[in-house]
Amino acid sequence: MEFVDKAFARRLEATEEVPQVHHARLYQKLYPEVSAAAEEISGGHMVFAGVGSPIGRAVGLGLDGPVPLLISIVWSSSTAPVERLRRLMSVL
């Protein structure tokens, strides 16, 4: 018997993912100049809520399938410009 299965992992990831997605979507409406975004990818979300915001990360990626290699490369680069990341998200 497995203690940690996919459903349990999904629930754990959702505790961080859901509030961040809601925060980014609220920022899209209230502060459009921030260019906030929340995109679903491979069972999780990539979230951006402004430069310097603590809301901005990849959460739950890979739970429903493989993560595209290009996303892995760009997201792991700490020097990736925000606009480049937004363009990548818009293609998917």
Side-chain angles (χ1 to χ4, degrees):
M1 179 178 179
E2 287 184 28
F3 176 70
V4 177
D5 59 3
K6 185 176 175 180
F8 183 69
R10 170 43 73 211
R11 287 193 305 274
L12 286 177
E13 288 294 307
T15 62
E16 285 190 44
E17 182 178 0
V18 172
Q20 290 188 37
V21 169
H22 287 293
H23 183 89
R25 291 190 176 148
L26 182 63
Y27 260 50
Q28 285 174 330
K29 292 177 184 175
L30 297 177
Y31 308 105
E33 67 277 4
V34 171
S35 299
E39 298 292 330
E40 186 175 351
I41 300 170
S42 301
H45 283 85
M46 288 179 67
V47 180
F48 174 75
V51 175
S53 172
I55 306 298
R57 64 182 67 182
V59 184
L61 268 62
L63 287 172
D64 289 343
V67 177
L69 179 61
L70 189 56
I71 292 212
S72 300
I73 292 169
V74 171
W75 194 259
S76 66
S77 170
S78 61
T79 59
V82 172
E83 190 56 38
R84 190 168 112 200
L85 184 60
R86 290 190 73 237
R87 271 189 264 130
L88 172 65
M89 289 168 54
S90 70
V91 170
L92 297 174

